Amino acid sequence: MVLTALRGAVGFLTRIPVGHDGDAWEAFQRAPVAFPAVGYLVGGLAALPLLGVAVLPASTVAAVAVVWLYTLTGITHLDGVADLGDAAVVHGDPGQRVEVLKDTVLGVGGTVALGVVLLAVALGFLGLAATPIRIAVAVVVASEVGAKLSMAGVACLGTARHEGLGSAFTTASGPRSLLPAVVVALPAGLLAWPSPVAAVALVGAVAGGALVSRWANGLVGGVNGDVFGAANELARLTGLHVGVVAWTLS
């Protein structure tokens, strides 16, 4: 059951070719703990470009890191950022904003949101390129685990507006299912020990994801796939930047 859920999570959260089948997908829906568990894998792999700081300019490392990140994870969650960006500029009720979410045409709001997120992620990696490699890797992993814990929070605490990706998770999990996910995520905060930087990045990512989820939930009147995606992306970049600031001030 656990391994099947993990396989489903890897298939959903990354482009790693583990195969897709109904059993893995359903097991993942019932096991939010798989979100942060896979966060360790994604974070570790996403940090690999930072190993190049010894031979490459920091700006190049940051650019490679962004390209590698979205090669690894795909752009599905960025689609949530774009859709919510378009919905945010609509003057109307949640129903009207949901109609915008369904529109496949990228508008000005979505374009700006995508640009800001990608720029912020790149600048986060640029900041990490100037830190010791152990600290940089710890922050990337903690940020990713925190981002995935945010998604678990959406699954366990959110209410879906309609049938779809959001309801597939929210109807299969409840508040009690969030505790195992929190327990799995906590060790990520110790990765830079004795420095508290990883813990700060973890907390920052969760806080960022929670704020975005709360805002998005109010914007469209419930949880959907776009809320999951936006929470993941905004939580990650918040964790990266909070980690860099924490190291700078330490």
Side-chain angles (χ1 to χ4, degrees), residues 173-192:
S173 303
R176 291 185 179 180
S177 301
L178 186 58
L179 181 58
V182 172
V183 171
V184 168
L186 287 177
L190 302 176
L191 293 175

Side-chain angles (χ1 to χ4, degrees), residues 3 42 46-47 55 64 73 82 93 114 117 127 130 151 170 174 177 181 188 203 212 214-216 222 234 250:
L3 291 179
V42 177
V55 295
V64 171
T73 64
D93 58 34
L114 278 176
V117 167
M151 297 179 80
T170 59
S177 301
V203 172
V212 171
R214 183 179 179 85
W215 168 78
L234 275 296
S250 64

Side-chain angles (χ1 to χ4, degrees), residues 44-162:
L45 292 175
L48 289 177
L50 293 171
L51 299 177
V53 294
V55 295
L56 295 173
S59 57
T60 301
V61 170
V64 171
V66 173
V67 173
W68 169 236
L69 172 65
Y70 291 107
T71 299
L72 173 66
T73 64
I75 60 173
T76 301
H77 301 308
L78 281 176
D79 183 63
V81 173
D83 286 343
L84 285 175
D86 281 336
V89 300
V90 172
H91 298 288
D93 58 34
Q96 291 173 300
R97 296 190 182 103
V98 169
E99 289 303 313
V100 174
L101 293 182
K102 298 176 182 178
D103 192 341
T104 57
V105 178
L106 180 63
V108 175
T111 301
V112 172
L114 278 176
V116 170
V117 167
L118 291 173
L119 177 62
V121 171
L123 291 175
F125 278 113
L126 181 63
L128 288 175
T131 67
I133 188 62
R134 184 177 74 89
I135 297 298
V137 171
V139 169
V140 173
V141 175
S143 298
E144 201 64 45
V145 172
K148 300 304 181 278
L149 181 58
S150 295
M151 297 179 80
V154 174
C156 296
L157 305 177
T159 300
R161 178 181 173 87
H162 52 71

Side-chain angles (χ1 to χ4, degrees), residues 182-227:
V182 172
V183 171
V184 168
L186 287 177
L190 302 176
L191 293 175
W193 185 263
S195 170
V197 171
V200 173
L202 177 65
V203 172
V206 173
L211 288 174
V212 171
S213 299
R214 183 179 179 85
W215 168 78
N217 186 74
L219 183 72
V220 298
V223 169
N224 63 5
D226 290 323
V227 175

